[in-house]
Amino acid sequence: MSIFTHELPSATGAIAAQPSYVVLPRPSASSPVYPTVLAFLIDKFPQISPSAWDQRIKEGKVHWQDGQLIDHQSEFVATKRVYYYREVAVEKKVPFTEHILYQDAHKIIVYKPHFLPVTPGGNYVNECLVHRLRIRTGIETIAPAHRLDKDTAGVMLMTVNPETRHAYHQLFLDGKIKKTYQAVAELPQDFALNQAMLPHHWTINNRLERGTPSFTMQIVDGASNSHSEIKLLKINNNLGLFELEPVTGKTHQLRVHMQSLGMPLLHDRFYPTLQAKGEDDFDKPLQLLAQRLQFVDPITNEVNDWCCEGLTM
């Protein structure tokens, strides 16, 4: 697939342009009573030092939903939202560009490049798809209608109008969105199929649960909660080009299901072996692409069928 470069990557400190929020929990056996909001934040986010929270409060970077600032003595109030601005010491530029494929008053269809998070996370606060689109369009209400991993590229549906956002979310809840992916994987040495025997099809049904560490997934015994349809389209030496349709939408579902066939995706840093955390290698993107998105628009009743350029081997 074509890679769209916009600038060389650089690294600088950054603070999120848009706030994140956390809902203060009700007291329970797993959630004690906190005397102040500050005490909760320090306990909730141990990776952030108490002195960092102290400084954020002093600088007015922590507030309630109505904008009222939270100070060091602000009392903990269960179920209220606390807004804060994520900060990172170093934020590297992602040197690939998103592309708007279509835009109207309710939605934006966009191509998301590899390595770009959809929303702030990890070491990325402003280098994310939502922030880039808000800057490009001037629309502050843009929000994703579904998930796409940072390492995965492809077509995404973004909502624009808060009053109609729920209708697009409901499409996914009701299974009325069809997503088709492409992937490239290395074939096993004893792979028996050849080009003349293609396409070849697999149906995968199994149970996926959180693994260790918790951001990975694993196949476990039990009732099936995941379903993928996988088709091998083309063979080129030891590589295969696949079409994948996730019938369910579990985290990392396609990556784990390909691994279960003995064909983990090319450049996958999680499966089959979790690699040590390090800098992204922009020359080796994960070979997984959300290539096509099909649905009937719940507002206009128009048939939508969007796709981007496919992967190559």
Side-chain angles (χ1 to χ4, degrees):
M1 173 164 191
S2 300
I3 295 177
F4 304 92
T5 303
H6 64 157
E7 60 182 295
L8 294 175
S10 61
T12 59
I15 179 172
Q18 302 291 331
S20 300
Y21 72 84
V22 60
V23 178
L24 301 182
R26 297 181 186 274
S28 67
S30 60
S31 180
V33 176
Y34 296 93
T36 63
V37 173
L38 176 59
F40 166 78
L41 292 172
I42 291 172
D43 188 50
K44 172 70 174 177
F45 301 104
Q47 72 275 20
I48 302 174
S49 68
S51 61
W53 283 117
D54 175 73
Q55 189 62 32
R56 289 184 187 185
I57 287 176
K58 288 179 179 177
E59 295 175 356
K61 297 176 182 176
V62 185
H63 59 82
W64 299 110
Q65 188 169 6
D66 63 4
Q68 182 179 351
L69 294 181
I70 290 172
D71 60 30
H72 295 79
Q73 286 74 45
S74 294
E75 293 184 5
F76 179 98
V77 182
T79 74
K80 290 195 69 173
R81 290 186 180 187
V82 172
Y83 287 76
Y84 61 95
Y85 292 80
R86 300 182 69 255
E87 298 179 11
V88 293
V90 176
E91 182 175 41
K92 177 176 284 190
K93 288 284 187 180
V94 176
F96 308 114
T97 304
E98 69 287 350
H99 293 271
I100 294 176
L101 306 178
Y102 174 80
Q103 180 177 348
D104 63 28
H106 302 283
K107 66 183 181 294
I108 292 176
I109 308 296
V110 61
Y111 165 80
K112 184 193 86 69
H114 290 101
F115 301 106
L116 184 69
V118 175
T119 56
N123 290 326
Y124 296 93
V125 293
N126 292 321
E127 275 296 277
C128 67
L129 181 64
V130 168
H131 183 60
R132 285 189 180 184
L133 289 176
R134 286 174 176 175
I135 291 175
R136 172 173 294 194
T137 64
I139 302 171
E140 292 296 318
T141 54
I142 291 174
H146 58 114
R147 294 179 293 107
L148 201 60
D149 290 342
K150 175 177 78 75
D151 295 330
T152 305
V155 180
M156 282 200 71
L157 168 61
M158 313 294 287
T159 63
V160 173
N161 185 346
E163 295 183 0
T164 58
R165 183 167 295 151
H166 68 282
Y168 294 97
H169 288 162
Q170 196 64 41
L171 288 176
F172 292 88
L173 295 175
D174 294 341
K176 294 182 178 180
I177 290 268
K178 183 177 181 181
K179 295 183 286 184
T180 306
Y181 288 70
Q182 284 190 345
V184 174
E186 188 170 345
L187 303 175
Q189 291 184 353
D190 59 352
F191 197 74
L193 297 177
N194 58 48
Q195 194 74 43
M197 302 167 68
L198 303 182
H200 187 76
H201 180 261
W202 294 265
T203 295
I204 308 295
N205 288 281
N206 50 36
R207 186 166 190 83
L208 294 181
E209 299 288 355
R210 292 286 178 183
T212 303
S214 61
F215 56 81
T216 62
M217 301 293 287
Q218 62 182 345
I219 297 172
V220 299
D221 293 334
S224 173
N225 64 359
S226 66
H227 176 190
S228 297
E229 298 293 332
I230 297 174
K231 187 184 297 182
L232 176 58
L233 302 177
K234 182 179 179 182
I235 294 174
N236 185 2
N237 295 319
N238 66 328
L239 296 178
L241 176 65
F242 294 81
E243 179 182 276
L244 307 95
E245 182 183 340
V247 181
T248 56
K250 293 293 183 181
T251 300
H252 295 175
Q253 176 178 310
L254 296 176
R255 297 164 72 171
V256 176
H257 283 176
M258 285 296 295
Q259 176 199 344
S260 74
L261 294 174
M263 297 177 286
L265 301 186
L266 201 62
H267 308 318
D268 195 331
R269 296 178 61 180
F270 286 9
Y271 309 98
T273 302
L274 180 62
Q275 299 181 20
K277 187 176 181 179
E279 294 290 331
D280 288 327
D281 186 343
F282 293 135
D283 292 326
K284 294 182 178 180
L286 175 70
Q287 291 300 282
L288 181 62
L289 173 75
Q291 202 260 340
R292 190 175 185 184
L293 191 66
Q294 298 166 276
F295 61 95
V296 175
D297 190 288
I299 308 303
T300 66
N301 289 320
E302 295 177 343
V303 175
N304 280 248
D305 188 348
W306 301 99
C307 62
C308 62
E309 181 183 351
L311 296 174
T312 59
M313 295 189 295

